[in-house]
């Protein structure tokens, strides 16, 4: 029987599919495994390359299987899909993972440590709470508009509506007021929870040296600095700041052919949370620059003169990501250029 060199493992909740291949790519075995059988099965296998799709639970299994002496590689699902033959099922997926892992130019995802994953939970939790807060604000705004009570858009203006709800002399019917007060109570609870998380994030940024240095970059505050530390893989994983920005999803889609370069919209691939935070921060920097002005001849001034605001925002986010990568790999703090750059 041929020696297994690569195993593709299709992850699931309960029933996993393993596909083993030798160095030539020939099939050695196909096997279904229940969740409780996975570690015992791989413990009995000789050390080899084990590949999985980068999906929920993949980092956990990567750490556990790696402890058994195997080399673990995680592959982005988009890179596995081209290797699926005809019908899609667990066995075909496992075979595709195995074939993709054997490609010499395949790109892999670094297996995250348990501490790294735990550090990212605070940002995932904050995203959920902020989304729920937005949902409640929209609900309050929509209900009150039915009674002719409106306010400007934005979370900062919702207090006007809350005042109308709590005022017995307003035009809100009593039958609706009791329900709207429940929404107000839930909204205030969420605001307190988000504020608590922001305080925790600020404390983490203050205690972390890398985050402290990242905050010297214009547009990067405690939230983005700690998010870069918690969510991004080791900076050494990327060859350059351009690769890091592309991983976040701040580069245009290419549809080039015949020697003609055609660049489209922003790819939006990669880490969504980091991309959103960098875009929001860059939009704030651009708004401030348009309101207060920037040094004549500076990079931002030249961009604002020639390009549309949204294009400048995305470009600035890309530049900020590349600067952050340089600080994380080479150390030091950000120093603003003294000449046009």
């Amino acid at each position: 029987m041929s020696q297994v060199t690569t195993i593709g493992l299709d992850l699931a909740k309960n029933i996993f599919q393993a596909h083993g291949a030798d160095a030539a790519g020939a099939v050695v075995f196909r096997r279904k495994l229940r969740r409780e059988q996975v570690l015992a099965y791989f413990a009995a296998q000789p050390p080899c390359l084990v590949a999985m799709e980068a999906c929920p639970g993949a980092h956990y299994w990567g750490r556990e299987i790696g402890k058994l002496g195997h080399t673990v590689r995680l592959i982005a699902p988009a890179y596995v899909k081209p290797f699926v033959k005809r019908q899609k099922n667990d066995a075909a997926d496992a075979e595709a993972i195995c074939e993709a892992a054997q490609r010499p130019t395949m790109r892999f995802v670094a297996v995250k440590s348990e501490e790294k994953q735990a550090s990212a939970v605070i940002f995932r939790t904050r995203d959920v709470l902020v989304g729920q807060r937005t949902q409640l604000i929209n609900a309050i705004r929509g209900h009150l508009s039915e009674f002719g009570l409106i306010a400007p858009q934005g979370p900062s203006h919702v207090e006007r509506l809350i005042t109308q709800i709590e005022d017995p002399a307003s035009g809100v019917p009593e039958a609706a007021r009791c329900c709207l007060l429940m929404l107000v109570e839930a909204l205030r609870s969420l605001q307190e929870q988000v504020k608590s998380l922001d305080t925790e994030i600020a404390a983490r940024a203050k205690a972390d040296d890398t985050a402290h240095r990242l905050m010297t970059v214009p547009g990067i505050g405690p939230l983005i600095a700690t998010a870069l530390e918690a969510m991004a893989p080791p900076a050494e994983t990327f060859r350059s700041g351009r690769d890091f920005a592309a991983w976040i999803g701040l580069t245009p889609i290419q549809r080039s052919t015949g020697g003609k370069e055609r660049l489209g919209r922003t790819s939006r691939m990669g880490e969504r949370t980091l991309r959103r935070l960098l875009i929001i921060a860059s939009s704030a920097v651009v708004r401030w620059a348009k309101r207060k002005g920037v040094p004549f001849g500076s990079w931002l001034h030249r961009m604002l003169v020639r390009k549309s605001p949204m294009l400048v925002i995305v470009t600035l986010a890309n530049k900020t990501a590349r600067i952050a990568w340089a600080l994380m790999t080479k150390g030091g703090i950000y120093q603003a250029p003294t000449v046009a750059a």
Side-chain angles (χ1 to χ4, degrees), residues 115-268:
E115 295 75 16
K116 191 95 169 178
Q117 284 190 292
S119 298
V121 171
I122 188 171
F123 301 99
R124 309 297 187 196
T125 304
R126 187 182 185 277
D127 282 348
V128 172
L129 296 180
V130 170
Q132 292 176 346
R133 182 180 65 180
T134 302
Q135 186 179 22
L136 286 173
I137 291 174
N138 290 339
I140 291 173
R141 186 184 302 278
H143 289 315
L144 288 185
S145 68
E146 297 290 340
F147 306 112
L149 301 173
I150 61 172
Q153 291 185 354
S156 60
H157 300 292
V158 74
E159 285 298 328
R160 298 188 190 183
L161 301 177
I162 292 176
T163 301
Q164 297 288 340
I165 294 173
E166 295 176 335
D167 184 7
S170 66
V172 180
E174 288 300 323
R177 192 187 307 279
C178 60
C179 297
L180 292 173
L181 286 173
M182 293 181 186
L183 295 180
V184 171
E185 182 181 355
L187 175 61
R188 285 175 172 166
S189 175
L190 284 173
Q191 288 173 331
E192 288 299 320
Q193 291 173 337
V194 172
K195 188 181 296 184
S196 175
L197 290 179
D198 288 341
T199 301
E200 172 64 21
I201 289 171
R204 292 187 184 186
K206 188 176 181 180
D208 187 89
D209 179 64
T210 302
H212 212 63
R213 291 188 292 103
L214 288 173
M215 285 191 290
T216 61
V217 181
I220 294 184
L223 181 61
I224 297 179
T226 50
L228 286 168
E229 270 285 273
M231 295 180 167
E236 297 76 17
T237 306
F238 306 97
R239 294 176 299 177
S240 65
R242 179 176 293 181
D243 289 348
F244 180 61
W247 174 80
I248 294 176
L250 291 169
T251 52
I253 290 178
Q254 283 202 39
R255 301 190 185 278
S256 304
T257 183
K260 297 181 180 179
E261 290 192 3
R262 293 186 176 90
L263 302 181
R265 61 174 178 80
T266 305
S267 66
R268 297 184 182 178

Side-chain angles (χ1 to χ4, degrees), residues 281-300:
S282 297
S283 64
V285 172
V286 170
R287 282 199 307 271
W288 178 266
K290 293 177 69 176
R291 187 181 304 121
K292 302 295 184 179
V294 288
F296 181 82
S298 64
W299 177 86
L300 186 54

